[in-house]
Amino acid sequence: MGKGGGCVPSKKRQPPAAAPSSSSAAAAAAPREAPEEEATAAAAAAAPVGAVRKLRLYIVFYSMYGHVESLARRTAVGAGVVEGVEAVLRRVPETLPPEVLEKMQAPAKDPAVPVIASAAELLEADGVLFGFPTRYGAMAAQMKAFFDSTGSLWEEQKLAGKPAGFFVSTGTQGGGQETTAWTAITQLVHHGMLFVPIGYTFGAGMFNMDDIRGGSPYGAGVFAGDGSRRPSETELALAEHQGKYMGSIVKKLGHHV
């Protein structure tokens, strides 16, 4: 879908993209970094002698018609270029019943991309890129429901210090390419996560006026139109750049942990 505010849901299919909570008292008594340090120590102990664990950039997204998924896959390609970093694709759970999705003519989800088991899986990430379509200038309900499930992580600030960014899909050029990311920053702030925008690091591609292009200094983006428009190569290239850029940030921060 990926519509901006007030747009009527599309009835046109978008082909699939190609190739335990603790109490407040316990939280106050425990060091903020302890959970992640323990997890890191456990991983190191389990790894073969001399092996170096790759840093993980989680790409967590919601996509109804495939537009956001197309961007997600290209961000994974970009992240994979960074030595020592691996991209991990995850979907957030769907909140709409099958009969509603059928009426909306939403294509089936690709089973090759697993649904994130729980918000606690984010503890394994060294950085996260969240992708989602807009609903009236803000993230879609499915992604908001996922963020709402992170309460136990917020309570102990287990995600604090992790870098994170966004990429989005909207229906029109004025439908929320910037506001959708902007309004999502509040989720990161409460977790103490570090928002990483791409700025104008894409260079000349950010200033090209010859083609319709989604994306902004906040992150990559795609215009879905009525749902039938496919992401342009420029939009996909920007997503790939964001994955590579974010991977480099994760690597830099990982060397200082």
Side-chain angles (χ1 to χ4, degrees):
M1 219 155 104
K3 296 294 182 287
C7 292
V8 177
S10 168
K11 293 186 178 180
K12 297 187 179 182
R13 288 176 180 261
Q14 166 70 14
S21 174
S22 301
S23 67
S24 298
R32 296 302 188 190
E33 68 277 15
E36 291 187 60
E37 288 183 347
E38 291 172 2
T40 302
V49 177
V52 177
R53 180 183 73 82
K54 282 192 173 184
L55 296 167
R56 301 187 185 100
L57 174 59
Y58 267 55
I59 301 169
V60 182
F61 68 94
Y62 174 74
S63 186
M64 180 175 284
Y65 292 105
H67 299 84
V68 174
E69 182 166 346
S70 295
L71 298 185
R73 291 181 182 275
R74 283 295 284 268
T75 59
V77 171
V81 172
V82 182
E83 185 179 0
V85 176
E86 64 175 333
V88 180
L89 285 169
R90 291 290 186 270
R91 300 181 190 278
V92 300
E94 179 60 79
T95 60
L96 294 175
E99 56 270 22
V100 173
L101 292 172
E102 183 178 357
K103 290 180 179 179
M104 298 177 74
Q105 299 186 20
K109 306 291 194 295
D110 183 355
V113 180
V115 174
I116 190 165
S118 71
E121 193 173 339
L122 294 179
L123 293 175
E124 302 174 3
D126 298 287
V128 190
L129 281 175
F130 296 100
F132 38 82
T134 187
R135 298 294 184 267
Y136 304 111
M139 67 175 65
Q142 289 86 345
M143 182 59 72
K144 184 58 168 65
F146 175 74
F147 272 110
D148 287 349
S149 73
T150 63
S152 61
L153 302 180
W154 162 81
E155 185 179 15
E156 297 184 37
Q157 290 290 284
K158 289 183 177 180
L159 300 180
K162 289 184 186 287
F166 306 119
F167 54 94
V168 305
S169 170
T170 70
T172 63
Q173 295 183 64
Q177 288 282 314
E178 291 191 347
T179 64
T180 304
W182 180 29
T183 54
I185 292 175
T186 59
Q187 312 298 310
L188 306 187
V189 169
H190 282 264
H191 278 289
M193 302 181 81
L194 309 177
F195 175 54
V196 181
I198 58 172
Y200 286 84
T201 59
F202 193 47
M206 296 293 289
F207 299 94
N208 181 18
M209 299 291 288
D210 296 332
D211 302 305
I212 294 176
R213 174 191 59 78
S216 73
Y218 289 87
V222 59
F223 290 125
D226 63 1
S228 62
R229 180 182 183 271
R230 299 293 301 274
S232 69
E233 182 52 39
T234 302
E235 290 170 328
L236 293 172
L238 180 55
E240 185 172 338
H241 168 76
Q242 184 173 13
K244 183 178 180 180
Y245 181 76
M246 189 65 171
S248 69
I249 297 297
V250 167
K251 186 174 182 178
K252 288 178 181 178
L253 293 178
H255 286 166
H256 292 83
V257 173

Coordinates of all heavy atoms in Angstrom, one line a residue, residues 14 23 28-29 32 35 61 65 103 114 125 148 156 191 213 249 251:
Q14 N 1.1 -5.5 -6.0 CA 2.5 -5.2 -6.2 C 3.2 -6.6 -6.2 O 3.2 -7.3 -5.2 CB 3.1 -4.3 -5.1 CG 4.6 -4.3 -5.1 CD 5.1 -3.5 -6.3 OE1 4.4 -2.8 -6.9 NE2 6.4 -3.6 -6.5
S23 N 11.2 -6.6 36.7 CA 10.5 -5.5 37.4 C 11.3 -4.3 37.4 O 12.5 -4.3 37.1 CB 10.3 -6.0 38.9 OG 11.6 -6.1 39.5
A28 N 16.4 -1.1 38.1 CA 17.2 0.0 38.7 C 18.5 -0.5 39.3 O 19.5 0.2 39.4 CB 16.4 0.7 39.8
A29 N 18.5 -1.8 39.8 CA 19.6 -2.3 40.5 C 20.7 -2.9 39.5 O 21.9 -2.9 39.8 CB 19.2 -3.4 41.4
R32 N 23.0 -1.1 33.3 CA 22.3 -1.0 32.0 C 23.0 -1.9 30.9 O 22.3 -2.4 30.1 CB 22.3 0.5 31.5 CG 21.5 1.4 32.3 CD 20.1 1.0 32.5 NE 19.3 2.0 33.2 CZ 18.1 1.8 33.6 NH1 17.5 0.6 33.5 NH2 17.4 2.8 34.2
P35 N 23.0 -6.9 30.4 CA 22.4 -7.9 29.5 C 23.2 -8.1 28.3 O 23.4 -9.3 27.8 CB 21.0 -7.4 29.3 CG 20.8 -6.5 30.4 CD 22.1 -5.9 30.8
F61 N 11.3 -5.0 8.9 CA 10.4 -4.3 8.1 C 8.9 -4.8 8.1 O 8.7 -6.0 8.4 CB 10.9 -4.2 6.6 CG 10.9 -5.5 5.9 CD1 9.8 -5.9 5.1 CD2 11.9 -6.4 6.0 CE1 9.8 -7.1 4.4 CE2 11.9 -7.6 5.4 CZ 10.8 -8.0 4.6
Y65 N 2.5 -4.6 0.0 CA 2.5 -4.9 -1.4 C 3.8 -5.1 -2.0 O 4.0 -5.2 -3.2 CB 1.7 -3.8 -2.1 CG 0.3 -3.7 -1.8 CD1 -0.2 -2.7 -1.0 CD2 -0.6 -4.7 -2.3 CE1 -1.6 -2.7 -0.7 CE2 -2.0 -4.6 -2.0 CZ -2.5 -3.7 -1.2 OH -3.8 -3.6 -0.9
K103 N -9.1 -9.3 0.7 CA -9.9 -8.3 0.1 C -9.1 -7.1 -0.4 O -9.4 -6.4 -1.3 CB -11.0 -7.8 1.1 CG -12.1 -8.8 1.4 CD -13.1 -8.3 2.4 CE -14.2 -9.3 2.7 NZ -15.2 -8.8 3.7
P114 N 11.9 -14.7 7.5 CA 11.1 -15.1 8.7 C 10.5 -13.9 9.5 O 11.1 -12.8 9.4 CB 12.1 -15.8 9.5 CG 13.4 -15.3 9.1 CD 13.3 -14.9 7.6
A125 N 21.2 -7.8 17.7 CA 21.6 -6.8 16.6 C 22.6 -5.8 17.1 O 22.5 -5.4 18.3 CB 20.3 -6.1 16.1
D148 N 5.4 -1.3 20.1 CA 4.6 -1.4 21.4 C 5.0 -2.6 22.1 O 4.7 -2.7 23.4 CB 3.1 -1.3 21.1 CG 2.7 0.1 20.7 OD1 3.4 1.0 20.8 OD2 1.5 0.2 20.2
E156 N 14.4 -1.8 30.8 CA 15.8 -1.9 31.3 C 16.8 -1.3 30.3 O 18.0 -1.5 30.4 CB 16.1 -3.4 31.4 CG 15.3 -4.1 32.5 CD 15.7 -5.5 32.8 OE1 16.9 -5.8 32.7 OE2 14.8 -6.4 33.0
H191 N 14.0 4.5 23.7 CA 14.9 3.4 23.9 C 16.4 3.8 24.1 O 17.2 3.0 24.4 CB 14.8 2.4 22.7 CG 13.6 1.5 22.8 ND1 13.5 0.5 23.7 CD2 12.5 1.4 22.1 CE1 12.4 -0.2 23.6 NE2 11.7 0.4 22.6
R213 N 11.8 10.3 -7.6 CA 12.6 9.6 -6.6 C 12.1 9.8 -5.2 O 12.0 10.9 -4.7 CB 14.1 9.9 -6.7 CG 15.0 9.3 -5.7 CD 16.4 9.8 -5.6 NE 16.4 11.3 -5.3 CZ 16.2 11.8 -4.1 NH1 16.0 11.0 -3.1 NH2 16.3 13.1 -3.9
I249 N 28.7 2.4 9.8 CA 28.5 3.0 11.1 C 28.5 1.9 12.2 O 29.1 2.0 13.3 CB 27.2 3.8 11.2 CG1 27.2 5.0 10.2 CG2 26.9 4.3 12.6 CD1 28.2 6.0 10.5
K251 N 30.0 -0.9 12.0 CA 31.3 -1.4 12.2 C 32.2 -0.4 13.0 O 33.0 -0.9 13.8 CB 31.9 -1.6 10.8 CG 33.3 -2.2 10.8 CD 33.8 -2.5 9.3 CE 35.1 -3.2 9.3 NZ 35.6 -3.5 7.9

